[in-house]
Amino acid sequence: MKTKAIIFDLDGVITDTARYHFKAWKMLADSLGFGFTEADNERLKGVSRMDSLNIILEINGAEDRFTLEEKEALCKTKNDNYIQLISQITPADILPGISDFMAAAKAAGLSCAVASVSKNAPAVLKSLGLADSFDYVADAKKITRSKPDPEIFTVCAESLGFKGSDCIGIEDSQAGIEAIHAAGMKSIGINVTVCSLEPDIHLKSTAELDFASMVD
Ligand code: B16
Ligand code: MG
């Protein structure tokens, strides 16, 4: 097989935590009297916590309203909201098609990795029962640049001992698809609604993942 590894995004690909990130930011935005819609939220997917807050402040013309300390407190409030929301996650929350796709990849001798910039990724993987299911999980604390920078995908490929062109990345965000392409990988997009850059394979949901026809 030409492909040596599959690199999965977490939020919105392996499980539907993307909606919890939205809810947690929406709770914070509401408490501050800020506007924040699901369309705005597309810009936050794959983007770090502080960068996400900065986008919400920019949307509301409030870039200069808070000190760094205050912004760190706002990020903590959002994360507390998020941790509360994800506390009920179980293996039943793995999205349809993901387990079969991973099993087929492993059976074909491919490696699997997780490229999530979320610092909560290890806890989410544990709740899903997937803590030991991947050959490599990127450490978000060591990633210095959010998607669309290719850093996290390149780190995953190199840690597995492969080149970007050996890998396929799966993402649900525009920033993630850009990051995958910048890392030299083929992309599978899951319901990527805002995208200036088309994924190589575009799917409406993870239920459409099919290893035999999509991985060469
Ligand atoms: P945290 P991914 C990203 O995860 C999310 O898409 C994004 O919405 C979130 O802000 C970011 O993780 C940071 O998450 O606040 O938990 O550290 O899509 O790369 O799996
Ligand atoms: Mg995502």
Side-chain angles (χ1 to χ4, degrees):
M1 264 199 145
K2 177 183 168 292
T3 307
K4 307 282 185 232
I6 308 290
I7 303 182
F8 296 79
D9 172 42
L10 174 64
D11 297 316
V13 171
I14 294 174
T15 188
D16 194 13
T17 35
R19 73 194 161 103
Y20 295 137
H21 278 294
F22 171 66
K23 273 191 190 172
W25 282 123
K26 179 78 179 144
M27 286 161 77
L28 181 78
D30 286 351
S31 74
L32 295 167
F34 287 164
F36 180 55
T37 66
E38 289 209 45
D40 295 331
N41 187 57
E42 288 303 313
R43 290 178 59 194
L44 271 52
K45 290 184 176 175
V47 173
S48 74
R49 211 176 295 167
M50 183 58 84
D51 288 349
S52 297
L53 175 65
N54 284 330
I55 291 172
I56 295 172
L57 295 180
E58 179 211 303
I59 288 168
N60 287 276
E63 296 96 320
D64 303 323
R65 191 174 307 176
F66 302 103
T67 63
L68 182 59
E69 253 179 28
E70 287 168 335
K71 290 206 287 188
E72 278 164 356
L74 294 175
C75 283
K76 183 181 178 311
T77 302
K78 181 269 173 175
N79 197 49
D80 291 345
N81 297 340
Y82 182 68
I83 287 171
Q84 185 67 37
L85 290 165
I86 63 174
S87 64
Q88 304 300 323
I89 286 179
T90 72
D93 292 302
I94 299 173
L95 284 170
I98 291 292
S99 298
D100 285 352
F101 194 82
M102 281 176 66
K106 285 182 188 179
L110 273 62
S111 299
C112 292
V114 177
S116 172
V117 299
S118 172
K119 296 191 172 74
N120 293 292
V124 172
L125 288 173
K126 190 164 179 248
S127 300
L128 292 170
L130 296 177
D132 300 318
S133 302
F134 292 90
D135 300 289
Y136 182 74
V137 177
D139 182 351
K141 292 198 284 299
K142 294 191 184 144
I143 299 298
T144 55
R145 297 180 296 278
S146 279
K147 302 162 187 176
D149 189 284
E151 181 182 7
I152 194 165
F153 284 97
T154 301
V155 164
C156 284
E158 286 176 355
S159 300
L160 293 169
F162 300 128
K163 299 192 298 273
S165 55
D166 296 327
C167 306
I168 294 179
I170 311 181
E171 262 287 352
D172 69 321
S173 69
Q174 168 165 15
I177 296 296
E178 288 176 20
I180 290 170
H181 286 199
M185 300 177 186
K186 176 173 160 180
S187 68
I188 299 179
I190 308 294
N191 193 27
V192 183
T193 47
V194 187
C195 206
S196 51
L197 193 68
E198 279 291 308
D200 294 306
I201 298 174
H202 185 87
L203 306 179
K204 285 203 187 71
S205 87
T206 52
E208 294 175 6
L209 281 167
D210 177 55
F211 185 82
S213 64
M214 294 172 193
V215 180
D216 46 358

